[in-house]
Amino acid sequence: MSRVQEFRGYKRSDGRVGIRNYVAIISAMDNVNPVARRVAASVQGTVAVVAGYGRGMVGEDQAQHDRTLIGFGTSPNTAGAVVISLEPDSARAIAEPIAETGRPVYWFAVEQAGGTLKATAEGIRVAMKMAADAGKQSREPAPLSELILGVECGGSDTTSGVASNPATGKVADWLVEADGTVILSERTEIIGGEEFLIDNAASVEVANALRSMVRAREHRARELGFELTNLVADNIAGGLTTMEEKSIGAIHKGGTKPVQEVLGYAQRPTKKGLVFMDAPAPGTENITALGGAGAQVIIFSTGVGNTIGCPIAPTIKVSGNPNTVVALSDNIDVDVSSILKGEKTIEGAAEDLYTALVEVANGRLTQSEVLGDVETVISRWNDYNFL
Amino acid sequence: MEKALVMNEKDNVATAVSNLSKDETVSVRVGQRRDEVSLIDDIPFGHKFAIRDIGDGDKIVKYGLTIGASTASVKQGQHVHTHNVRSLRGGAK
């Protein structure tokens, strides 16, 4: 059948196309998060990007933090950014790379503004102007190939593996067939199922990168003397028994196309098609990595229910659990429980999910956007960050 | 509506898609054929049961792939979960 192949989005100076038109209010250090929140709450059309840390970091830890915030500021969904920090250097470090994409950026330090009240006023004044300017831009037709879709699962149970993940995987395949990009991530969620991705790798280099990523995690877990597992209590209560079972179910959400490259946390894809990102699995930090990589939209598959969304990338919640779609109806965007009820095939339910994806790209708000159930958590770079 | 799903015909477990009770007989589709399994445990929604006898240490197969190994012999119709299956991956054992 012929599916919709285009959406209406916001064309950016760097050639990318957004599905939202946000002014990002970015806090470069967590000690000024309240100022960024206050500014964002005061100005329509803005979104707060506030995370922990941003100070006392070195090396790759700092680089990963900064790359993620810069990624939010340069997301196709971002029209401009206001960067706030306690002192000037950290604000400038985030703001300058955003400015290089041609977006309007304003940065300042709370120390120089004269405290948080004056900083809040300064932030509101510049954000107001930026948001008013952003509102002058209209949506224009764009091919679906401009989309980067992040796929994630959380609150997984057995239904994730037999319904919502396979339906998400079908949509992922269709987007790749439309020359779009799909980011599959969650490094520990592939352990036990990695051979299928490796067999499907587009090159020997990609296969080796996937294999060495998994081996390194397993090796380090043994050295530290703990069991590497992706299973948590709600997974086990839901009927998942081993990490292999969860992984094989989880991999289904990326679809069946060859893996084109392996990315680091919040790194932008350089290739079209299915790509793999080496990022931790827990939902909030994973969708932060996806948003930071420039995904305009995320499909988040859930079994027992996970309600969180990414502030910059609308997050579509899909569940195939007949209980969850009723009990958590406030938080679920797409119901694919028809698969378990025997009313629809996986492909039939995936058509509904694809329709929702295009609608959200065209401006339909997700439940987590409407309710403000969004959060930013940037993973820290350290030995113990295994999941 | 199916009461339980077998994802691949190589599988030795089925996944309950409703709450199932001990002594219930469940018909499951395995590829082209249907098998009858009499349950010897209650099987909660989302949990698995053996569709044939499984020896101690044998592989547990779902999606046609190995998801772990049994830690005891398992009878057809018995609950298959963390109490009688171990992971074969992931570090210290």
Side-chain angles (χ1 to χ4, degrees), chain A residues 296-317:
Chain A
Q296 295 103 320
V297 60
I298 294 166
I299 296 180
F300 193 129
S301 160
T302 187
V304 289
N306 180 315
T307 56
I308 200 70
C310 177
I312 209 88
T315 305
I316 301 168
K317 296 282 174 170

Side-chain angles (χ1 to χ4, degrees), chain A residues 103-155:
Chain A
R103 285 171 175 74
V105 181
Y106 184 90
W107 62 268
F108 67 97
V110 170
E111 284 173 352
Q112 294 179 332
T116 61
L117 292 186
K118 286 174 182 162
T120 301
E122 184 172 350
I124 290 172
R125 200 166 291 117
V126 291
M128 179 191 75
K129 172 82 168 57
M130 239 180 244
D133 286 345
K136 294 172 189 162
Q137 199 178 344
S138 303
R139 288 182 182 267
E140 298 169 63
L144 230 50
S145 57
E146 290 292 335
L147 280 188
I148 302 176
L149 166 69
V151 294
E152 155 69 347
C153 57

Side-chain angles (χ1 to χ4, degrees), chain A residues 76-98:
Chain A
N77 293 348
T78 305
V82 177
V83 182
I84 306 169
S85 193
L86 188 65
E87 51 71 50
D89 290 348
S90 55
R92 192 189 301 115
I94 304 299
E96 283 181 351
I98 299 172

Side-chain angles (χ1 to χ4, degrees), chain A residues 158 194 228 239 241-242 244-245, chain B residues 15 46 48 67 81 87-88 90:
Chain A
T158 304
E194 74 275 16
L228 180 57
T241 304
T242 62
E244 296 95 305
E245 182 182 15
Chain B
T15 303
K48 295 175 291 300
I67 63 161
H81 201 27
S87 168
L88 297 173

